[in-house]
Amino acid sequence: MVIKKIAILFSGEGSNLEKLLEKLHNQVFEHCKIEVATTICNRPNALGIEKSRAYGIEPLIIDHTLFENREAFDKALVEAIQNSGAQLTVLAGFMRFLTPYFTQNIKAINLHPSLLPLFKGGNAIEESFASPMKVAGISVHFVSEVLDGGEIIAQQCFEKTEDMRLEDFEVKIHNLEHELLPQTVKNLLNRK
Ligand code: GRF
């Protein structure tokens, strides 16, 4: 059985981290077994830390505030990911801008709460909710030097209804994310 290892990076709540662990960690699929080799968090108080521990994986805390600049932080990230043996890195709510040092050394995918290329950046949910568009959605894309700009791998959309409040809209987005991200990772890895 071929084992394919992934690294998961997160910064906060970790609900997507949890779904990845639940649906993929040590799961056997047709062409491989997927193993979460490491989880990495840049915030020492992130709620996701306990979620990772619940699956027996002690997260590596790499606190970005302790580094001189972005590249020094990214070097530490790259080293940790390479040491873990992960062939794919999944950014699941990892809230840091990444430098070319990271993007040139690590094959990574990111989850973004809008229909890219619309609403890039940190306010995607609010901006897509406030827009006149009648649909909204989520994207999984490869990470490149351009923020939220790499090749799109998968998307899911839904209809924005008149009675939807921002809270409902957010719940809808997170529910879709919890399905699409694990499914996309599986699709990328479960190949001959
Ligand atoms: C998600 O909405 C994701 O799209 C965005 O950050 C959020 C992370 O949520 N990049 P969680 O930490 O996985 O709960």
Side-chain angles (χ1 to χ4, degrees):
M1 176 60 63
V2 181
I3 296 179
K4 298 202 175 162
K5 295 186 183 183
I6 61 171
I8 306 173
L9 275 54
F10 66 100
S11 297
E13 184 100 10
S15 67
N16 287 286
L17 161 86
E18 190 172 36
K19 288 293 164 188
L20 289 164
L21 287 164
E22 179 193 317
K23 295 182 179 198
L24 302 179
H25 185 47
N26 286 337
Q27 300 298 316
V28 176
F29 302 102
E30 199 185 351
H31 298 297
C32 69
K33 177 177 171 181
I34 297 180
E35 196 180 293
V36 177
T38 187
T39 61
I40 302 175
C41 181
N42 65 310
R43 292 195 182 129
N45 300 321
L47 290 174
I49 291 170
E50 282 306 322
K51 294 181 172 130
S52 181
R53 286 182 180 145
Y55 282 82
I57 302 173
E58 184 60 32
L60 199 56
I61 312 294
I62 306 182
D63 182 348
H64 64 277
T65 63
L66 304 178
F67 291 82
E68 210 169 295
N69 53 44
R70 286 188 190 280
E71 188 158 293
F73 171 67
D74 281 7
K75 280 188 174 156
L77 280 182
V78 168
E79 196 186 341
I81 293 167
Q82 287 175 343
N83 286 342
S84 78
Q87 66 187 84
L88 180 70
T89 294
V90 183
L91 309 188
F94 187 65
M95 310 308 270
R96 297 295 301 161
F97 292 111
L98 294 162
T99 64
Y101 184 83
F102 182 95
T103 56
Q104 284 162 16
N105 283 287
I106 297 294
K107 183 181 182 188
I109 65 173
N110 180 46
L111 173 66
H112 186 76
S114 78
L115 287 175
L116 289 173
L118 298 172
F119 313 119
K120 292 179 178 177
N123 296 316
I125 294 182
E126 293 76 7
E127 287 174 15
S128 106
F129 180 74
S131 88
M133 289 180 66
K134 300 293 182 199
V135 292
I138 60 169
S139 306
V140 180
H141 65 92
F142 283 112
V143 175
S144 75
E145 263 105 273
V146 182
L147 178 70
D148 300 327
E151 186 194 335
I152 294 166
I153 308 163
Q155 290 183 310
Q156 190 92 58
C157 67
F158 62 93
E159 207 174 320
K160 258 163 70 182
T161 54
E162 294 287 327
D163 59 347
M164 237 182 201
R165 295 166 306 148
L166 178 61
E167 301 81 73
D168 309 320
F169 186 77
E170 275 193 57
V171 168
K172 181 84 188 162
I173 285 187
H174 294 313
N175 287 342
L176 288 177
E177 289 183 333
H178 296 160
E179 294 299 320
L180 187 68
L181 186 59
Q183 186 61 47
T184 305
V185 174
K186 184 186 147 192
N187 289 346
L188 286 172
L189 296 180
N190 187 28
R191 294 175 179 172
K192 271 190 191 157

